[in-house]
Structure formats: structure tokens, C-alpha cells
Amino acid sequence: MSPVRAVLFDRDGTLVHDVPYNADPDLVRPVDGAREALDALRARGIRTGVVTNQSGIARGLLTEADARRVNRRVDELLGPFDVWAVCPHGPGDGCPCRKPRPGMILRAAGRIRVRPADCVVVGDIGADVEAARRAGARAVLVPTPETRPEETSAAPHVAPDLSTAVRLILDTPPWDEPADIPPWDEPADIPPWDEPADPPPPTGPASAGVRRPAGCARGVRAAPAGPAPGAERPPWGRPV
């Protein structure tokens, strides 16, 4: 049995109402019950984080600065979150962090010093569930009108809304360990590239040996590359 030590949330469609490729902090609107649900987790000592695909940056529809402003607004309304992880890449960039790949979940778990097996990922589309599975975390799907029926039927746990998802997490631990947990190495110290305050990435000798998922360091754009075979399925629910 594994305790739940952290809950990592998708942003758009899960914590806040989805505004496609949102670049305007004034458009951020939390979903019903979001603040209360997050406060309930924090009251139990469970850490919270956000893991979000933001391919609008790669598509040229918003800038990294726009995304940071929106993230800061989410943090103002619903935070403080213990960790943020943002992937700015598009589906064809081959980024190991872009959900349904597990990089952001592994990075977020490493940043707050918990095993992925002790994390639950809450999201609204199949990519969130698949990223959790690949990372060795658990997942709860909170469907929206954009969620495909096959994504809902394939999810290990489904809740009708965010408040119910958090009650499920709080009322049913300890959760069973995922059946296929990947090898877990204690991560090297990972500097806070993803925080809304946007500190610069480390440079010079002090950064030697720090592990980064390729192409997701702040301000560094990976050269476009085809995805690894089998790494990304056809488009999930909504564009992210």
C-alpha cells in the first residue's frame, strides 16, 4: 500500500475553465469547488502541483511570458502550489515532458521529493491518465464535454467533478501501488525553471550534472523532431 503524498493537477479544464491557448490572466476562472478541494488536501499535509501542456507557445499563439502571467493568476486564486511544470512544446516536437509522456510528472515529483507512486494525477483527458501510468503514478479522470468516451471508460478512477475527485483521494488511501512502477532513482537537485516567478536556468560549473528533460529548460526550445515510436497517440480530447 502507498500513501498519497502529492496530487498533481492538469490546469485547463481541470483546475480552471478551459480557454484554448489562453494568454490573458483576466480570463482565468476556477472550476466550482476548486479552492475548497485544494484546501482540503493542504489541510491533510498533501502537497499540490500543476503539470500542464502549453503547446500554444510552440504554435505561436502565446508567449512564455503570457503563460507565466496566466499561471501566476492561477496561483493567486488557487495556490500556493508546491510545484509547477509546464511543457511549451507541440505534438511533433518529440518532447519527453509533453503529456501523455511522463516527464513533467517525474520532474514534479522529484522537485518535491516524493516517489511518483505516492502521487495522484488529476486531469480531464486521456493524456493525463496515460502520463500518470507511464510515470508510475495513480490517476483520477474528471471528464468534461471534451473528454472522449473511450478515455473515460479506460480510466482507472473517474469522478464527476473536482471536489468528488479530491474526496476520493482523501477517503480511500492508502492506495494500491501501481502494478508497473518504473525504476525510481532519487533525482538530482532540479532548479525551479517552472515556477510562475520564472527564475533563470542555472549556467556555468554550478549547473554541471543537473538533469533536465531535453528541451524543457526555461527559454530553451528543442529543435523539432519526430516523436519516438509509440510515444504519442492520436490527438486526445481537446487541443493542448
Side-chain angles (χ1 to χ4, degrees):
M1 295 291 188
S2 176
V4 175
R5 297 182 58 197
V7 181
L8 306 175
F9 294 89
D10 174 56
R11 193 190 80 180
D12 304 313
T14 300
L15 288 175
V16 299
H17 291 285
D18 185 30
V19 177
Y21 309 121
N22 184 22
D24 185 354
D26 291 338
L27 298 180
V28 173
R29 296 289 183 272
V31 302
D32 291 344
R35 182 73 207 209
E36 294 79 6
L38 288 159
D39 286 346
L41 290 170
R42 293 170 183 138
R44 295 275 194 99
I46 296 174
R47 308 191 76 176
T48 60
V50 182
V51 288
T52 176
N53 287 353
Q54 293 298 320
S55 70
I57 297 170
R59 300 172 197 266
L61 301 175
L62 67 155
T63 66
E64 290 194 34
D66 293 331
R68 289 194 296 272
R69 284 192 292 269
V70 171
N71 289 344
R72 278 194 291 268
R73 182 57 177 159
V74 175
D75 214 54
E76 289 169 1
L77 293 172
L78 298 176
F81 291 95
D82 295 296
V83 64
W84 281 78
V86 179
C87 179
H89 298 105
D93 289 343
C95 176
C97 285
R98 177 178 163 79
K99 295 178 289 186
R101 294 179 178 182
M104 278 195 290
I105 295 167
L106 295 172
R107 186 200 309 185
R111 287 276 309 282
I112 56 178
R113 303 300 182 191
V114 301
R115 298 187 314 153
D118 298 332
C119 298
V120 178
V121 177
V122 178
D124 66 317
I125 59 174
D128 301 310
V129 174
E130 177 67 4
R133 185 192 69 78
R134 294 184 186 187
R138 280 70 56 80
V140 178
L141 183 74
V142 181
T144 71
E146 300 297 328
T147 309
R148 295 177 178 178
E150 59 269 27
E151 294 173 342
T152 302
S153 62
H157 301 281
V158 179
D161 52 52
L162 190 62
S163 297
T164 304
V166 168
R167 285 199 301 272
L168 174 67
I169 293 167
L170 291 175
D171 293 345
T172 60
W175 291 46
D176 289 333
E177 294 263 5
D180 49 353
I181 304 173
W184 173 247
D185 294 324
E186 184 67 19
D189 188 30
I190 301 176
W193 303 311
D194 316 314
E195 297 293 343
D198 187 33
T203 58
S207 65
V210 174
R211 293 185 291 172
R212 299 182 176 84
C216 269
R218 178 74 63 185
V220 177
R221 182 69 53 84
E232 189 142 6
R233 297 178 179 177
W236 306 82
R238 55 179 171 75
V240 291

